[in-house]
Amino acid sequence: MIWTICQISMLRLWNNKQELVLAFVVPVLFFSIFALIFSRGVGQSISQVRVSFIDDDRSAESRSIIADACKPPEILPVTRVGHTSQDWSIEALSRWLISQRNVEVVVYIPAGFTTQDPSSPELSILLFNEGINPIGHRLVQASLAESIAMQFAAANLADLQAARPTPVQTSANSTYTSFPGTRTSESTLSGMAEQTSSVQTAVFERPATVEANRNHRSKANANTYDDGQQVFQSVNAFASNKHQPKVAMAAAGIAVMFLLFSANGAGASLLEEREAGTMGRLLSSRLSLTQLLMGKWIYITLLGFTQLCIMFAWGELVFKVNLLGHLPGFIAMSIATSAACASFALFLAALCKSRQQLHGISIVLVLTMSAVGGSMVPRYIMSDNMRILGKFTFNGWALDGFQKIFWYDLPLSAIRVEIAVLMGITLLLGGASRLLARHWSVI
């Protein structure tokens, strides 16, 4: 009898294709998605960092430093080498490149960096970043450190015969030699080695100051090396007037994912009404199928908008998210996202034949879009192909819009592309829902 019960259960599972998919196909699907994300993001192959270089030094040495820094496969220059002007300060130019050109790190080489006088105030290379990706600017900094060391070594190689070299022991396995006329200190190497142990860099110092710079001074902050000379400084281009932007982005990712679930649950009510015969009685009255779908669409849109408002209001009350300071952008993005999710829910309801079928399909699609679109995993660790794939999801476009509003503090005009795409999805899926639902009118 026990074995008979087991056989009956197995036959029931075999005849239920939806349960078979959820039990055996969905786990493999999600394993594949996360394997693609992490193997290309934090595994053996690191995702490329999109970098833009601003060179106010405009010397042969600075151009050589930039060329050498771009050689590693992890560095992807996305714009031509530029410079600042009276109309564009480095701060304004960095914010524009990051928010509008999808740049992750902006490297700024100030005028006089390669020829600076030891008696003048010390100049540093600035690395502007968006403050989201904690890995990107470290990779760029490591590449620049190696490039600068090799550049200074090549520049001073001609002085090797004329100057008396002073050996400087930097590690048990390597000895570097100091030459006159250079700026980078031994202690700077030690500071950089603590952060990027995989990159071996050589440093060269004026003989008179080698001993003075052996004693390390404390670091000004986690991203600035203050060892007698600040060679690199990492700057958050959007650090001013911030009120928990990371919490706001987390709220957006979670809210969009659960918005899709609740929208599909509300859309399933159409299938319930069809199975119960309520839809037939409604359509036999003066109510048309288009009016029925529009009424459901408005309800699901209002439901989603309310969910987003409650999520962000809670974030402002408890986690100090600056909702009121970004209210116009939040309202615009919430309406567009809720409308697109409502059309998606109606499309799935019209496509499926039963509530059970809708339940299985919606779980797979929503979880897949959430994983690829950035609701589950930060997109900065994804490969470029995975980021492009995220553009085919509601989550990707919604998170891009919320990021521009809450992180970049951009005006409404900056999210017109995201709103246009979401509204286009709304109209496309809404029209497809009406066409698929034609068979309901004959009930």
Side-chain angles (χ1 to χ4, degrees), residues 181-235:
T182 57
R183 294 283 296 173
T184 309
S185 66
E186 177 197 358
S187 55
T188 301
L189 170 64
S190 300
M192 289 186 294
E194 295 175 6
Q195 300 294 330
T196 53
S197 58
S198 62
V199 178
Q200 193 176 31
T201 58
V203 293
F204 305 90
E205 179 58 88
R206 297 175 63 88
T209 60
V210 170
E211 295 298 329
N213 283 329
R214 284 184 181 274
N215 296 325
H216 289 210
R217 283 192 260 168
S218 61
K219 294 178 181 178
N221 55 56
N223 299 317
T224 302
Y225 301 98
D226 189 359
D227 301 295
Q229 177 184 350
Q230 296 178 343
V231 178
F232 301 101
Q233 294 187 51
S234 294
V235 183

Side-chain angles (χ1 to χ4, degrees), residues 234-405:
S234 294
V235 183
N236 188 339
F238 302 94
S240 61
N241 299 323
K242 281 289 182 293
H243 298 279
Q244 300 290 354
K246 291 184 178 180
V247 177
M249 293 306 301
I254 296 298
V256 173
M257 181 174 66
F258 281 95
L259 180 62
L260 286 167
F261 276 120
S262 62
N264 283 293
S269 63
L270 283 169
L271 295 176
E272 288 183 348
E273 293 173 357
R274 178 174 178 270
E275 293 172 356
T278 305
M279 183 180 294
R281 292 192 292 271
L282 289 173
L283 295 178
S284 63
S285 63
R286 295 182 180 180
L287 181 70
S288 65
L289 181 60
T290 302
Q291 291 174 330
L292 175 63
L293 293 176
M294 282 297 299
K296 290 291 185 180
W297 179 84
I298 293 174
Y299 163 72
I300 299 173
T301 301
L302 291 176
L303 176 64
F305 179 75
T306 304
Q307 282 183 295
L308 290 172
C309 289
I310 292 175
M311 176 74 77
F312 277 87
W314 177 258
E316 180 165 25
L317 290 174
V318 178
F319 300 102
K320 308 304 179 184
V321 173
N322 188 14
L323 174 60
L324 296 179
H326 304 90
L327 195 58
F330 166 76
I331 292 176
M333 280 304 306
S334 297
I335 292 176
T337 304
S338 301
C341 290
S343 292
F344 176 69
L346 293 180
F347 173 76
L348 288 184
L351 185 65
C352 296
K353 297 180 179 180
S354 65
R355 182 182 177 87
Q356 186 179 12
Q357 184 184 29
L358 174 62
H359 177 70
I361 292 177
S362 63
I363 287 178
V364 175
L365 289 179
V366 171
L367 290 179
T368 301
M369 290 191 298
S370 298
V372 175
S375 291
M376 294 183 177
V377 180
R379 283 180 293 174
Y380 65 78
I381 68 173
M382 297 182 182
S383 65
D384 291 337
N385 290 333
M386 290 298 294
R387 296 184 191 183
I388 294 174
L389 190 60
K391 291 294 186 179
F392 292 91
T393 67
F394 300 100
N395 310 66
W397 288 104
L399 290 179
D400 283 345
F402 282 115
Q403 178 174 307
K404 289 183 177 181
I405 294 299

